[in-house]
């Protein structure tokens, strides 16, 4: 069984072929056309530019995914596409392409939630992991903690009340005029900074999420307070020094101190949830799981606490279509096929 995965939820046009041979998943190809150079100029993703670029790149990316796998259209058994969440104009490009391909080939269409894709990237990389598992999806759009008791079933334990962790990285980088996307840049600068240089105020999460009263908020996140603290610190130092741009060593210290707080929060909550639910493993997925400190600290804590931690390789952490094909295989296994009137859903819940 070979699934063609298609992903266009944000600023990456991606296609991949993933094969399921007796329950073992293997990546045959994984092609990503990044639009980051287009959006960098604007300091963030411009939705209209993103959807237009997806239209330009879609066919070529799929052809390359077939070519890299030395496969032909006939070899494709099903097509899995990201239905949401994401930018609606961008999603529509992938969904329309997938529907057309499914109709032309007479092969089943599978609708995938982008977050399920990030979660399944862990199974795609590592194979079956011990359950129950705690999975933290941490990206530019999401910081969501899940409990997985059985494969393919995701129970939301908590999520961010405001900014996603990656969004906080991107906003702090923008504030310091460091460029876009901010995560990798801050990660790099943090390596030369003093992580204890700046003390940030504590984050308090007092009220449960009013939109989700069934959750008590214990495993929710909030990054907007930290972002505001960074803004205040930068404005104060700029005024004290009488400069627009802070000296490089101060920027490095800020990056290191900011990164320490974000990563500690993510790791602490994931391990706390694992203890609370008696989980046998922990996974980190999504663009921010590419972070060097998060990888290092999570694996170190894994050794100390004797609970295995799984993080996919970088090309499966950031947005890609192999994870969408994997989540598609999970759907196919459960017999869930999408109808021909499938539509994109910008805020599709998981
Ligand atoms: O999963 P992803 O590629 O797209 C979304 O679904 O959002 O994640 C992108 C996010 C961006 O906010 C980017 O700044 C962040 O992941 N990111 C990182 C690193 N690499 C990417 N954040 C921290 N450290 C990194 N090394
Ligand atoms: Zn993503």
């Amino acid at each position: 069984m070979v699934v063609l995965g298609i992903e266009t939820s944000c600023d990456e046009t991606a296609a991949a072929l993933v094969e399921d041979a007796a329950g073992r998943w293997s990546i045959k190809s994984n092609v990503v056309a990044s639009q980051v150079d287009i959006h960098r100029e604007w300091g963030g993703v411009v939705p209209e530019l993103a959807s237009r670029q997806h239209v330009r790149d879609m066919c070529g990316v799929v052809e390359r995914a077939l070519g890299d796998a030395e496969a032909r259209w006939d070899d494709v058994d099903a097509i899995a596409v990201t239905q949401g969440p994401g930018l609606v104009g961008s999603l529509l490009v992938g969904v329309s392409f997938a529907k057309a391909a499914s109709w032309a080939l007479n092969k089943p269409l599978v609708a995938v939630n982008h977050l399920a894709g990030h979660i399944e990237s862990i199974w795609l990389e590592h194979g079956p992991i011990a359950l129950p598992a705690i999975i933290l999806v941490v990206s530019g759009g999401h910081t969501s903690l899940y409990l997985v008791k059985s494969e393919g079933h995701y129970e939301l334990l908590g999520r961010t009340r405001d900014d996603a962790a990656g969004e906080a990285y991107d906003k702090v980088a923008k504030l310091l005029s460091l460029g876009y996307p901010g995560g990798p840049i801050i990660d790099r600068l943090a390596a030369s900074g003093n992580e204890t240089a700046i003390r940030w105020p504590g984050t308090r999460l007092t009220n449960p999420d009013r939109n989700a009263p069934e959750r008590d908020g214990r495993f929710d996140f909030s990054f907007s307070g930290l972002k505001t603290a960074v803004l205040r610190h930068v404005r104060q130092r700029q005024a004290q020094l009488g400069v627009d741009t802070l000296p490089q060593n101060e920027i490095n210290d800020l990056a290191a101190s900011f990164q320490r707080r974000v990563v500690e929060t993510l790791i602490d909550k994931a391990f706390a949830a694992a203890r609370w639910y008696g989980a046998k493993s922990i996974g980190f997925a999504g663009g921010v799981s590419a972070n060097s400190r998060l990888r290092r600290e999570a694996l170190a804590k894994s050794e100390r606490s004797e609970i295995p931690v799984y993080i996919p390789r970088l090309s499966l952490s950031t947005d890609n279509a192999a994870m969408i094909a994997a989540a598609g295989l999970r759907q196919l296994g459960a017999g869930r096929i999408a109808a021909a009137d499938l539509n994109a859903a910008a805020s599709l819940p998981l």
Side-chain angles (χ1 to χ4, degrees), residues 269-318:
K269 290 245 168 158
F271 277 82
R275 277 193 302 277
W276 187 263
Y277 289 97
K280 297 204 174 71
S281 55
I282 300 176
F284 292 89
V288 180
S289 73
N291 184 264
S292 63
R293 179 175 187 131
L294 185 138
R295 287 176 173 257
R296 195 172 62 237
E297 303 266 309
L299 294 172
K301 191 155 178 162
S302 161
E303 273 183 21
R304 288 198 301 275
S305 57
E306 291 179 359
I307 174 159
V309 162
Y310 300 98
I311 313 176
R313 77 192 86 153
L314 296 186
S315 60
L316 296 180
S317 296
T318 50

Side-chain angles (χ1 to χ4, degrees), residues 114 118 139-141 166-167 169-170 181-184 187 286-288 290-291 317-319:
H114 182 81
H118 277 302
S139 70
E167 190 179 354
Y169 265 96
D170 295 339
D187 194 0
V288 180
N291 184 264
S317 296
T318 50
D319 283 352

